[in-house]
Amino acid sequence: MKTLNQYNFAGKKALVRVDFNVPLNDRYEITDDTRIKATIPTIQKILNDGGSVILMSHLGRPKDGPTEKYSLKHLVNALSVIFNRPVKFADDAIGQQAIDLAASLQPGEILLLENLRFYKEEEKGDVAFAEKLSKLGDVWVNDAFGTAHRAHASTAVIGQFFTDKVSGYVMQAELDNAQRILDNVERPYTAIMGGAKISDKILVIEKLLDKVDNLILGGGMTYTFTKALGGQIGNSIHEDDKMELALELIEKAKEKGVNLVMPLDTVMADKFSNDASKTTVPSGQIPEGWEGLDIGHQSIAVFTEIIEQSKTILWNGPMGVFEFSNFAVGTNAIAEAVVKATEENGAFSLIGGGDSAAAVNNAGYGDRVSYVSTGGGALLEYMEGKTLPGVAALEA
């Protein structure tokens, strides 16, 4: 795989797939620009070499073609400020305007294409659509690790139309850090898995049981385990069809000598709301009409002790409904423990994208852990041992 530092972009038009799928408020202002900031070194390297940049991305999940709220035009002003130059915009990624703007692009200039998902062909991996996009640039740079697990036109299929294809700095860092957590880890190695559903994490949990010393489970998925073990979970989120699997995972952990740790207590609420009445009960003792929304202080203490003694830490998924400030205590405490292990114990800590990344960044800890991944689903699939189409296309 060719990396950015091995390529000189002087006089080249670089067609760069980025992941600018950023949250916007109702005034179309960016509320979290982490993903944009992550791509600055890649884009700056191309510009500094004397190349020009054509940016392509998706935003949200538009169902029926062009939609105002998902237009990438809302990012133009922010990008112009970040890169200290006017950013041009093509309101049709493969239309004549895009072709003309790309053709006239001078070294040091940036062009942003409209949301690729306004075209059904993007997600279908349409070859003709990929070929049209490819004609806009001389070299393809894939810096969108967050979509590398999708065989979409711009993330994978497009690679066949380029002799020159290069992985961006984000892509490179993601792969290097994921690889580090898969090979030659320093022990004790602790994985923390949270989030709502076991079904999203089954494969990676099974894979981790062959690698970790400690597996901490938190978040909504634990209520399926608790119910399978005969506990009362009230109205808590769970998957009845995964209870047998939960018991199997507990047995596998025992067989492999993995210390599987689940919450000892739960902060339960009488409704799914930040201003709900709440109280803490032992795990498995949630009455009807109540639901678990966070881990309790006993769980925090046990989890924290394990994390702070670890030398390698992987964290994917929150401990509770961290979007509600009153139920973010557990998730924030885990973030603090991971930071402490990293800074005071020299641990290598990888935060696995999605909600965990948001939780760590919101708490202001993003630069105090070893690496925050920008790609939740892509990272999990990579750790499951799957081939990511966006990576394979760079290697072909």
Side-chain angles (χ1 to χ4, degrees):
M1 189 190 295
K2 193 173 279 183
T3 60
L4 220 58
N5 290 345
Q6 296 169 316
Y7 195 88
N8 188 335
F9 291 89
K12 300 279 190 185
K13 290 183 174 114
L15 187 62
V16 187
R17 179 51 160 105
V18 287
D19 183 2
F20 284 177
N21 184 23
V22 293
L24 304 174
N25 64 20
D26 52 11
R27 295 189 301 279
Y28 305 121
E29 296 161 336
I30 299 164
T31 56
D32 179 3
D33 61 359
T34 308
R35 285 177 166 166
I36 293 176
K37 286 201 166 138
T39 64
I40 292 173
T42 293
I43 295 165
Q44 212 61 63
K45 148 79 172 154
I46 298 164
L47 298 173
N48 291 346
D49 277 2
S52 55
V53 174
I54 301 158
L55 297 170
M56 52 180 183
S57 179
H58 72 285
L59 176 63
R61 297 187 175 183
K63 297 267 187 290
D64 308 303
T67 318
E68 176 69 15
K69 85 184 243 196
Y70 294 127
S71 175
L72 282 171
K73 71 183 179 192
H74 303 307
L75 274 53
V76 171
N77 289 341
L79 292 171
S80 300
V81 171
I82 288 169
F83 292 104
N84 198 24
R85 67 199 72 205
V87 170
K88 301 180 178 192
F89 181 70
D91 57 18
D92 179 344
I94 52 170
Q96 193 57 48
Q97 185 199 23
I99 294 164
D100 293 343
L101 284 170
S104 63
L105 213 55
Q106 298 301 305
E109 292 188 330
I110 301 173
L111 166 64
L112 174 66
L113 304 179
E114 182 55 285
N115 190 344
L116 296 172
R117 288 194 184 166
F118 284 176
Y119 311 82
K120 295 275 184 254
E121 295 91 336
E122 161 67 0
E123 292 184 80
K124 286 179 182 164
D126 185 83
V127 177
F129 179 70
E131 187 174 16
K132 281 178 189 167
L133 283 173
S134 74
K135 288 187 163 35
L136 300 174
D138 309 310
V139 50
W140 175 54
V141 179
N142 193 354
D143 211 25
F145 179 77
T147 57
H149 57 316
R150 310 280 187 216
H152 293 171
S154 67
T155 61
V157 180
I158 197 170
Q160 65 194 280
F161 299 107
F162 286 94
T163 310
D164 291 349
K165 39 193 176 180
V166 183
S167 77
Y169 288 134
V170 173
M171 178 72 79
Q172 220 178 309
E174 292 277 359
L175 294 172
D176 290 348
N177 283 287
Q179 208 52 52
R180 182 166 170 182
I181 213 112
L182 288 171
D183 306 327
N184 310 319
V185 293
E186 204 179 336
R187 298 192 176 281
Y189 176 5
T190 298
I192 309 153
M193 287 279 141
K197 295 179 176 178
I198 303 182
S199 45
D200 296 339
K201 310 271 166 88
I202 296 165
L203 293 171
V204 78
I205 288 173
E206 289 190 322
K207 203 82 170 167
L208 287 168
L209 288 175
D210 288 325
K211 299 181 180 295
V212 301
D213 302 297
N214 306 298
L215 177 58
I216 294 173
L217 298 181
M221 72 159 87
T222 56
Y223 302 114
T224 302
F225 284 86
T226 302
K227 188 174 179 184
L229 290 165
Q232 300 299 310
I233 61 165
N235 298 8
S236 305
I237 186 173
H238 65 286
E239 297 168 277
D240 280 334
D241 60 333
K242 296 290 181 288
M243 290 203 298
E244 206 172 310
L245 177 79
L247 296 174
E248 282 171 23
L249 290 172
I250 292 169
E251 278 310 307
K252 278 185 186 167
K254 274 186 198 153
E255 284 165 24
K256 294 175 189 287
V258 173
N259 179 28
L260 177 67
V261 193
M262 286 192 287
L264 300 174
D265 55 352
T266 298
V267 178
M268 65 175 187
D270 61 354
K271 59 180 176 178
F272 190 77
S273 166
N274 191 44
D275 58 10
S277 295
K278 60 174 186 165
T279 187
T280 303
V281 292
S283 287
Q285 293 184 28
I286 303 176
E288 283 305 315
W290 292 73
E291 57 187 308
L293 297 187
D294 198 6
I295 56 172
H297 288 291
Q298 272 186 289
S299 307
I300 289 170
V302 171
F303 291 3
T304 296
E305 188 179 359
I306 294 167
I307 292 163
E308 288 179 1
Q309 291 170 0
S310 302
K311 283 291 192 182
T312 304
I313 301 163
L314 167 67
W315 179 20
N316 182 279
M319 296 294 102
V321 186
F322 79 103
E323 300 90 336
F324 296 158
S325 56
N326 286 333
F327 299 97
V329 177
T331 300
N332 290 338
I334 296 307
E336 284 169 24
V338 173
V339 166
K340 193 170 177 190
T342 309
E343 293 182 340
E344 295 180 19
N345 198 21
F348 174 75
S349 51
L350 173 59
I351 311 302
D355 287 341
S356 325
V360 166
N361 288 327
N362 291 349
Y365 294 137
D367 55 355
R368 296 176 64 188
V369 294
S370 305
Y371 190 73
V372 180
S373 173
T374 57
L379 179 73
L380 289 180
E381 291 200 15
Y382 189 78
M383 299 206 62
E384 286 163 15
K386 291 179 182 169
T387 300
L388 304 186
V391 175
L394 287 165
E395 293 168 337

